[in-house]
Amino acid sequence: MAFDTRPVSSEIRSCSRVAANCAACPSSRHCLVGGAAQNETARWNAAVQIQQSIPAGKSLYAVGDEVDAVYTVRAGCVKTYTVDDEGNERVRAFHLPGDIVGLDALGSGRHLSHAVAVTPAQICRVPREQMRKLLVESPTLMLRLVDRMSATLAAALALAGDYTADQRVAAFLVSMHQKLDPLPGAPARLPMCRRDIANFLRLATETVCRVLTRFEKQGLISTDDRAFRILRQDALRELAEPVGITAPAAPVRLAA
Amino acid sequence: MAFDTRPVSSEIRSCSRVAANCAACPSSRHCLVGGAAQNETARWNAAVQIQQSIPAGKSLYAVGDEVDAVYTVRAGCVKTYTVDDEGNERVRAFHLPGDIVGLDALGSGRHLSHAVAVTPAQICRVPREQMRKLLVESPTLMLRLVDRMSATLAAALALAGDYTADQRVAAFLVSMHQKLDPLPGAPARLPMCRRDIANFLRLATETVCRVLTRFEKQGLISTDDRAFRILRQDALRELAEPVGITAPAAPVRLAA
DNA sequence: CGTAAATTTGATGGTTTTCAAGCCATGTGG
DNA sequence: CCACATGGCTTGAAAACCATCAAATTTACG
């Protein structure tokens, strides 16, 4: 059991269930509604039923569960994974603030993966029907969603190629740094343990570890436990480029 | 590269039309319409505009081409592949009799991959609009199509995992033997060269070669150039099982 | 029949995994 | 407060596995 007992923000500890308030949400700039017009934010806000604090290690849903809602991550980190015939866990994705969890099975109606909080997390719950209605009413949201889903698929397929450990780890660092979006000068802190990173990248834990130490020795990054800074973004991006999971530096453009 | 990749599609459109006759097609049992009711076969037959022989190495379409039709393979083998930034070819799939080629981009309207005949091939051309109409009119066809597409996606994702060369080759042999479906006692003959197999499986050509030789020494298969027999299906399937690209022995069952 | 391509085999090297051990922080019970 | 256990992280040594390089042999085809 991977409980993470680091101190968390008072915000997360205090509220278990509160009324949604997207306009004041600190993660809005990462969220699907971020930058949406006033009335759309309001509509979204009305659809979001519940904000809930999830302790680290707790499951949001399991394989086979009926899909009755999708979730957006407001704070913390949620991982989704599958389990094969032999019981081996296989991390499919890490979901950070603004990401949507639970879209994998909107078609079949039943979840194809497990979702577990990696760190204490705050999530917003959007009932399935509300979500569907929102998307029909708002072309902008729909476009954003399609954009995200295709990006997710591309990221999943990107890991399919036969890349070196260096390329995978570099791509992971760049991608994570981008998503974590730390304040200028501040380090980014990875929410997940090395084992999960390795599993996600299809590498041995030791390999991830060794690559990180080498990157640090080469002056590409600096690390301190789970926190890291990118010292030479150009070199790291060049390494990561063939993997192609890194979005361009500019924020995702949306179709008009 | 000895392949003549000049596009053939204009030739296909302009050449004299051969009347399709699905009822008499030797590949019907592999085809989407195989086993369909009489009237559905007739509808499909009416939609199929052209049967055309394609010489080995000729291109059906290229990346960026407008999607104006889908094709079904009647005989021979067609491979689809993408080309990355560095010009490296990457085989996505081999299409055998009954398979549908060109579905990759029904949404975007432009092909995302190249399609080339690996051997002399016979293909049937179904214009896009006809295809769409057929699917709307025939729920059975639609179900069959969805079934095939999900199987294709599963196969693509299966190769994403980190499997050993033995597992990959075993899975390939089992899968191909199943699709080639040789007469009892007869060997199956692979239509594609070792290089394409290796590319598809993300292995070096020499590795594929060595694994095949070893499999033969171990008595799992017998080979003669591109032809092969499976001598110990159980052992081969056990090897291939983690990859999971092999359908169950029974034919695919369709919802009523 | 001869050339080019495809296939096969051998030798070598690099990358990654595996096995093993040590370090460090955290938590528990005496 | 200390001894001890635990789990995550790191490092080292060895082996497995596969790619690469090189060359021999076979096959395809004009």
Side-chain angles (χ1 to χ4, degrees):
Chain A
M1 194 61 94
F3 276 88
D4 189 334
T5 50
R6 287 177 302 106
V8 292
S9 77
S10 57
E11 196 179 77
I12 294 178
R13 267 185 310 210
S14 58
C15 62
S16 71
R17 287 193 176 199
V18 298
N21 186 351
C22 292
C25 178
S27 297
S28 67
R29 65 179 167 155
H30 297 291
C31 190
L32 202 60
V33 292
Q38 195 84 14
N39 59 338
E40 289 194 341
T41 304
R43 261 210 293 259
W44 179 262
N45 192 81
V48 173
Q49 281 197 333
I50 292 170
Q51 284 174 248
Q52 184 153 11
S53 285
I54 310 284
K58 188 174 178 187
S59 167
L60 268 74
Y61 55 78
V63 167
D65 284 1
E66 198 173 339
V67 180
D68 51 13
V70 297
Y71 305 90
T72 65
V73 179
R74 184 183 154 102
C77 178
V78 171
K79 76 170 173 184
T80 49
Y81 63 95
T82 55
V83 179
D84 67 16
D85 300 333
E86 282 133 25
N88 300 314
E89 190 172 306
R90 189 160 182 174
V91 177
R92 307 291 291 224
F94 298 107
H95 303 269
L96 294 177
D99 286 345
I100 301 181
V101 186
L103 285 175
D104 65 337
L106 268 193
S108 74
R110 295 206 170 258
H111 284 293
L112 303 172
S113 61
H114 299 268
V116 170
V118 166
T119 66
Q122 222 183 17
I123 60 170
C124 303
R125 183 172 183 276
V126 186
R128 193 181 177 186
E129 280 314 310
Q130 298 275 0
M131 184 72 181
R132 186 164 295 182
K133 217 169 108 188
L134 268 178
L135 292 177
V136 171
E137 287 172 357
S138 168
T140 307
L141 276 187
M142 176 64 98
L143 282 173
R144 282 174 180 238
L145 185 67
V146 169
D147 197 64
R148 291 217 178 188
M149 288 184 75
S150 62
T152 304
L153 182 63
L157 281 181
L159 285 176
D162 52 346
Y163 302 105
T164 65
D166 283 18
Q167 290 172 326
R168 285 171 195 266
V169 173
F172 181 76
L173 288 178
V174 172
S175 164
M176 271 298 150
H177 195 273
Q178 192 172 273
K179 290 175 84 176
L180 291 168
D181 195 20
L183 294 175
R189 184 180 173 77
L190 295 171
M192 73 294 289
C193 65
R194 296 281 191 270
R195 195 171 56 84
D196 278 345
I197 297 175
N199 186 311
F200 176 64
L201 297 177
R202 321 265 148 125
L203 296 170
T205 307
E206 296 95 326
T207 302
V208 172
C209 202
R210 273 186 257 267
V211 172
L212 287 175
T213 11
R214 186 153 36 76
F215 278 178
E216 182 157 31
K217 273 181 190 155
Q218 293 170 342
L220 301 186
I221 61 172
S222 69
T223 68
D224 177 19
D225 194 29
R226 291 189 182 181
F228 72 101
R229 292 170 204 263
I230 293 183
L231 302 180
R232 291 179 48 198
Q233 175 136 170
D234 53 339
L236 217 54
R237 274 188 181 270
E238 191 174 352
L239 261 175
E241 188 257 326
V243 184
I245 78 168
T246 66
V252 178
R253 291 177 303 277
L254 293 173
Chain B
M1 169 61 70
F3 279 137
D4 171 10
T5 51
R6 281 173 297 169
V8 77
S9 34
S10 57
E11 295 173 30
I12 293 179
R13 284 192 216 90
S14 59
C15 85
S16 63
R17 292 184 172 189
V18 180
N21 187 352
C22 293
C25 178
S27 297
S28 66
R29 64 177 168 156
H30 298 292
C31 188
L32 203 60
V33 292
Q38 194 84 14
N39 59 338
E40 289 196 340
T41 305
R43 263 210 293 258
W44 179 262
N45 193 81
V48 174
Q49 282 198 332
I50 290 168
Q51 286 174 244
Q52 174 74 38
S53 285
I54 309 287
K58 278 269 186 178
S59 166
L60 266 73
Y61 56 78
V63 167
D65 284 1
E66 197 173 339
V67 180
D68 50 13
V70 298
Y71 306 90
T72 65
V73 180
R74 184 184 153 99
C77 178
V78 172
K79 74 169 175 185
T80 49
Y81 63 95
T82 55
V83 179
D84 68 16
D85 301 333
E86 282 133 25
N88 300 312
E89 190 172 305
R90 189 164 177 171
V91 177
R92 306 292 290 227
F94 298 108
H95 303 270
L96 294 177
D99 286 345
I100 301 181
V101 186
L103 285 174
D104 64 338
L106 267 192
S108 75
R110 294 205 171 261
H111 284 292
L112 302 172
S113 62
H114 299 269
V116 170
V118 166
T119 66
Q122 263 189 336
I123 60 169
C124 302
R125 182 172 185 273
V126 185
R128 192 182 178 185
E129 280 313 311
Q130 298 276 359
M131 183 72 182
R132 187 163 294 183
K133 219 169 104 187
L134 267 179
L135 292 178
V136 171
E137 288 171 357
S138 167
T140 307
L141 274 187
M142 175 63 97
L143 281 173
R144 282 174 180 239
L145 184 68
V146 168
D147 197 64
R148 292 220 178 185
M149 289 184 76
S150 62
T152 304
L153 181 64
L157 281 181
L159 284 176
D162 52 344
Y163 302 106
T164 65
D166 283 17
Q167 291 172 325
R168 285 171 195 266
V169 174
F172 181 76
L173 289 178
V174 172
S175 164
M176 271 299 151
H177 196 273
Q178 194 171 272
K179 289 175 84 175
L180 291 167
D181 196 18
L183 294 175
R189 185 181 172 77
L190 295 170
M192 73 294 288
C193 66
R194 296 282 191 268
R195 195 173 57 83
D196 278 346
I197 298 175
N199 185 312
F200 176 64
L201 296 178
R202 324 263 146 138
L203 296 170
T205 306
E206 297 93 327
T207 302
V208 172
C209 203
R210 270 186 258 268
V211 172
L212 288 176
T213 333
R214 187 152 36 76
F215 278 179
E216 182 158 31
K217 273 181 189 155
Q218 294 171 342
L220 301 186
I221 60 172
S222 69
T223 69
D224 176 19
D225 194 29
R226 291 189 182 182
F228 72 101
R229 291 170 205 261
I230 293 183
L231 301 181
R232 291 178 49 197
Q233 175 136 167
D234 53 339
L236 218 54
R237 276 190 179 268
E238 192 176 351
L239 261 175
E241 188 257 328
V243 183
I245 78 170
T246 67
V252 179
R253 211 159 297 286
L254 293 172

